[in-house]
Amino acid sequence: MDKYVIHGEIPLKGTVAISGAKNSSLPLMAASLLTDEPVILHNVPDLMDIRTMIALLTYLGKKVTIEDTHTLRIEEVSSQSYEAPYDIVRKMRASIAVLGPLLGRRGRARVSFPGGCTIGPRPVDLHIRGMKALGAEIVIEEGYINATCPKLKGTSMNLLGSFGPSVLGTENVMMAAVLAEGTTVIEGAACEPEVADLAQCLNKMGAKISGAGTSVITIEGVERLHGVEYTTIPDRIEAGTFIAAAGITGGEITLTNTCVAHLAEPIEVFSKAGVEIEILSHTTLVARGKTIRPVEVETKPYPFFPTDLQAQLMAMVTLADGISIISEKIFPDRFLHAAELCRMGADIHVDGAVAVVKGVPRLSGASIMASDLRAGAGLVLAGLAAKGKTEVLRIYHIDRGYEHFEEKLRALGADIQRRPQEE
Ligand code: EPZ
């Protein structure tokens, strides 16, 4: 197990190229199960979660070749298997995204019930609701979701849950519906760019999907899908993380290879929080940390402020000249990073799904622990701004979702090293 050793108070300066989106690449990889022809994906980030999905696809009869780091070639060897085993799913909840494609094309799926994680219980009732609506018989036993249906039938459904739409739930049902008989209408669909990216790729494979990116998606079932060569969108959460890095260190970072259109709300919020953001083109922006002002923010489904940037924003506003209020409307328990930030001298009071952050003049370095990949990123940002040495433990969480994170930060001038945790 590794840790980061960071010496702070260095304003980050330079240019960083944003990697492909993890949360787009994972469902796109799962979509390869919908065809027996080759699927080639470009701009796939080099991450632990991608390697876990490669292992799962291999288990399910695909041959996956990594070409020049960021291109995956996925070819079918056999289509007999339909099981996603516990020891893979427990490493990555997004494995649930194979449920829809397996059911849609192989007529059955046995997927381990994904456990919860530190950001919340992570139920999958909306996924199951959608599969049942399409005609699947679902039996939950021995910790597995057993789904069978020789041929799914299109229908209308509402996938809204008590915390709003489900991103993976929408993607799972969309993938199940593309080969169903007849038309499916999903109301209460997630509007995230990653959902639209998946729909665009599926349409290139021969699917007939309209409305993706809005809350009503229509899928006209087709006989089969053919292979595809496709490039994933940039990672908007990595981009937001580097905007926050400029803000918290008082530096100046140029972000390239990003998609400014997917960052409207983060740009709005980080600008209010004092980051000067200059848009140079639709793929390039400059973030300058000028001052840090308090903000009041609620995390909500896209296009509003994403829950995956909540920890990074919180880290930054611990140094604001006033009191910030952050309400977590997606994962109400997603505040484990607050206590770690308080170990560095932050003044944060968490009451249920609301964190009140009273700005302090300075953070001081400490040993702190990552609890999920975005919390880990937020703690690294705090270490970059803090006086003295910070050690961030359990950075395997960060390795799941940030490509070459310490290398990218070092190229911007950060003093950050990866070390064995026991050192
Ligand atoms: C996706 O997870 C992302 N992961 C998450 O990013 C992200 O935090 C989340 O969407 C919200 O934006 C991937 O895309 C791989 P949800 P997902 O279903 O789809 C509740 C990261 O950091 N819910 O949209 O699993 C759920 O508990 C990860 O990269 C149900 O109630 O999240 C939550 O409160 C972390 N029943 C809300 O809906 C369900 O069946 C939104 O969850 C499913 C979800």
Side-chain angles (χ1 to χ4, degrees):
M1 222 180 317
D2 289 342
K3 65 185 175 185
Y4 279 144
V5 179
I6 302 166
H7 290 86
E9 295 189 304
I10 301 171
L12 299 191
K13 294 197 186 309
T15 298
V16 63
I18 297 303
S19 301
K22 166 178 85 81
N23 292 350
S24 195
S25 302
L26 294 171
L28 286 172
M29 291 169 74
S32 69
L33 293 163
L34 288 164
T35 180
D36 58 356
E37 296 183 13
V39 168
I40 298 165
L41 298 175
H42 297 293
N43 199 30
V44 176
D46 176 16
L47 298 173
M48 189 69 74
D49 273 7
I50 299 297
R51 290 192 281 279
T52 303
M53 185 57 90
I54 289 174
L56 180 52
L57 291 179
T58 307
Y59 189 92
L60 290 168
K62 292 289 186 180
K63 176 177 167 251
V64 186
T65 317
I66 301 175
E67 296 167 358
D68 74 54
T69 314
H70 297 119
T71 293
L72 298 185
R73 172 183 285 273
I74 308 172
E75 296 166 292
E76 184 141 299
V77 176
S78 89
S79 57
Q80 301 313 309
S81 173
Y82 54 83
E83 179 173 319
Y86 173 69
D87 68 336
I88 295 179
V89 175
R90 71 181 171 79
K91 288 183 199 137
M92 184 184 66
R93 290 192 66 264
S95 308
I96 187 84
V98 301
L99 173 63
L102 286 174
L103 195 54
R105 178 164 164 257
R106 298 184 185 178
R108 65 182 299 184
R110 186 168 189 271
V111 178
S112 169
F113 221 82
C117 66
T118 55
I119 65 177
R122 308 301 295 273
V124 290
D125 58 304
L126 299 176
H127 299 243
I128 291 169
R129 180 199 299 177
M131 301 308 159
K132 280 185 174 170
L134 290 170
E137 190 191 317
I138 305 271
V139 175
I140 310 262
E141 61 184 3
E142 298 166 357
Y144 278 78
I145 302 166
N146 298 278
T148 49
C149 184
K151 184 73 175 168
L152 296 171
K153 293 225 177 352
T155 184
S156 292
M157 66 182 77
N158 189 307
L159 280 187
L160 265 189
S162 42
F163 290 94
S166 165
V167 174
L168 278 170
T170 301
E171 291 164 343
N172 229 341
V173 173
M174 190 162 72
M175 288 192 279
V178 291
L179 297 176
E181 210 169 280
T183 300
T184 298
V185 178
I186 304 173
E187 292 184 5
C191 303
E192 273 67 5
E194 294 76 24
V195 175
D197 203 29
L198 175 62
Q200 189 170 310
C201 181
L202 290 168
N203 282 341
K204 265 192 91 174
M205 295 168 75
K208 289 183 181 164
I209 303 170
S210 55
T214 75
S215 59
V216 181
I217 300 178
T218 302
I219 305 113
E220 208 182 308
V222 295
E223 274 304 304
R224 62 186 301 278
L225 294 191
H226 48 74
V228 69
E229 184 159 3
Y230 192 77
T231 301
T232 79
I233 55 174
D235 195 311
R236 59 195 171 94
I237 303 303
E238 185 193 23
T241 303
F242 280 100
I243 290 173
I248 199 170
T249 63
E252 175 170 326
I253 302 176
T254 299
L255 281 69
T256 62
N257 293 28
T258 188
C259 177
V260 172
H262 295 158
L263 288 165
E265 187 69 8
I267 288 170
E268 172 79 17
V269 169
F270 282 112
S271 301
K272 272 191 195 139
V275 185
E276 182 187 280
I277 297 175
E278 184 186 354
I279 313 291
L280 300 186
S281 74
H282 69 282
T283 61
T284 307
L285 64 84
V286 185
R288 298 183 185 90
K290 294 289 181 195
T291 178
I292 303 180
R293 289 193 289 266
V295 289
E296 289 198 21
V297 174
E298 285 184 350
T299 67
K300 288 196 284 192
Y302 191 88
F304 298 107
F305 192 80
T307 175
D308 292 347
L309 285 176
Q310 181 255 107
Q312 299 90 318
L313 175 69
M314 182 186 285
M316 192 177 110
V317 297
T318 61
L319 295 169
D321 55 0
I323 296 175
S324 298
I325 298 178
I326 300 175
S327 307
E328 180 49 77
K329 298 287 189 188
I330 307 287
F331 295 110
D333 301 333
R334 195 176 197 172
F335 285 129
L336 286 181
H337 43 281
E340 299 304 298
L341 291 168
C342 290
R343 288 177 47 72
M344 302 175 78
D347 181 347
I348 306 169
H349 177 68
V350 174
D351 180 5
V354 178
V356 179
V357 185
K358 189 159 172 261
V360 294
R362 164 173 304 114
L363 295 176
S364 55
S367 283
I368 49 183
M369 197 175 290
S371 50
D372 79 79
L373 68 154
R374 308 305 176 186
L379 297 180
V380 168
L381 298 187
L384 292 170
K387 181 173 176 48
K389 182 173 89 165
T390 296
E391 293 197 338
V392 181
L393 310 180
R394 299 189 178 176
I395 59 171
Y396 60 86
H397 287 293
I398 299 175
D399 293 340
R400 289 190 47 194
Y402 285 89
E403 182 180 45
H404 309 153
F405 197 38
E406 70 263 28
E407 289 87 342
K408 288 186 176 183
L409 289 169
R410 267 205 298 274
L412 296 168
D415 180 348
I416 177 170
Q417 300 297 328
R418 178 184 289 258
R419 288 276 179 279
Q421 193 151 288
E422 52 284 350
E423 247 188 23

